[in-house]
Amino acid sequence: NIPVPETVIVPRSELETFRITDEIRAYVGEPFVVKPGWGGGGLGVNVEGHSEEDLRRSAELAYSSDSFLIQKRLKPVELEGHIGWFRVFHVLGEIIPCWWEPPRNQYQLVTPLQRRLYKLDPLTRIVKKIARVSKMQLFTTEICLNSDGRFLAVDYLNTDPDMSPKSFFPTGVPDEVIRHIVWLLV
């Protein structure tokens, strides 16, 4: 019961014979997102997918992934200057949501006021469900507040989250988030 975008999973073993049918196109839309089921750093991700060739190109780049996803491309809402895309940290049961802009990899901590103002409680519910299913204590997930009003887990479970601090890396995690995570772990 974790809300995710419309998705078709293609095992690596079926890549050569798999065809994107009209039914699949109707289900996920076009362009669609193609991404490896396992990997990191955006390797093999294509947000402008149109064909089986895009799927195969993803497989070439993400050679360690045993499956690939064809996923509906989402359109996040805009909330007073913020894109409705979130990177949410789960640390020992605590939920730490951040605004996140995937194209620019920019983080900003979501404030308690913003949580209430924009009714962001679904972020917590989704992350708690992912934690319950995965039994993981430290992970991140990406969640999009789509233009249709749905909160959808896009990148479900990142088990080795980026912990590069913003004070050293322009695209890093806000320092106050890292300090809080370290405090929780210690």
Side-chain angles (χ1 to χ4, degrees):
N1 292 326
I2 296 168
V4 299
E6 291 77 359
T7 304
V8 174
I9 300 171
V10 183
R12 181 177 286 279
S13 60
E14 297 176 16
L15 285 175
E16 290 306 314
T17 59
F18 182 82
R19 297 292 169 253
I20 298 172
T21 64
D22 290 340
E23 184 180 64
I24 290 172
R25 287 181 202 284
Y27 181 58
V28 299
E30 192 174 0
F32 45 79
V33 176
V34 177
K35 61 184 179 182
W38 180 263
L43 193 62
V45 176
N46 179 350
V47 297
E48 294 286 336
H50 293 277
S51 69
E52 295 85 4
E53 185 55 38
D54 295 317
L55 186 61
R56 290 187 194 96
R57 202 169 303 116
S58 176
E60 289 171 9
L61 294 170
Y63 55 86
S64 63
S65 184
D66 61 354
S67 62
F68 298 86
L69 285 68
I70 299 171
Q71 199 173 65
K72 183 177 189 75
R73 193 166 108 178
L74 302 178
K75 296 177 187 132
V77 299
E78 189 168 317
L79 300 168
E80 295 184 26
H82 292 284
I83 295 173
W85 203 283
F86 305 89
R87 170 83 62 173
V88 186
F89 291 82
H90 176 276
V91 184
L92 303 172
E94 185 159 336
I95 311 300
I96 307 167
C98 294
W99 299 101
W100 194 60
E101 294 185 39
R104 296 181 7 194
N105 288 335
Q106 294 294 309
Y107 288 87
Q108 185 179 355
L109 184 62
V110 173
T111 67
L113 176 61
Q114 290 169 332
R115 282 190 196 197
R116 287 190 306 278
L117 183 64
Y118 301 124
K119 298 175 177 50
L120 301 179
D121 288 342
L123 296 174
T124 299
R125 285 194 296 276
I126 292 169
V127 173
K128 284 185 177 183
K129 284 181 182 180
I130 293 170
R132 194 168 41 252
V133 169
S134 70
K135 299 188 182 354
M136 298 290 298
Q137 293 295 318
L138 173 62
F139 66 88
T140 65
T141 186
E142 285 177 45
I143 299 174
C144 175
L145 173 51
N146 197 34
S147 58
D148 62 7
R150 298 183 298 162
F151 285 84
L152 301 166
V154 179
D155 196 359
Y156 324 122
L157 188 66
N158 296 297
T159 59
D160 190 15
D162 179 15
M163 296 297 288
S164 305
K166 192 170 192 76
S167 57
F168 288 94
F169 301 92
T171 60
V173 179
D175 289 21
E176 65 268 28
V177 171
I178 291 184
R179 280 193 295 275
H180 187 67
I181 290 170
V182 169
W183 180 83
L184 288 168
L185 293 173
V186 172

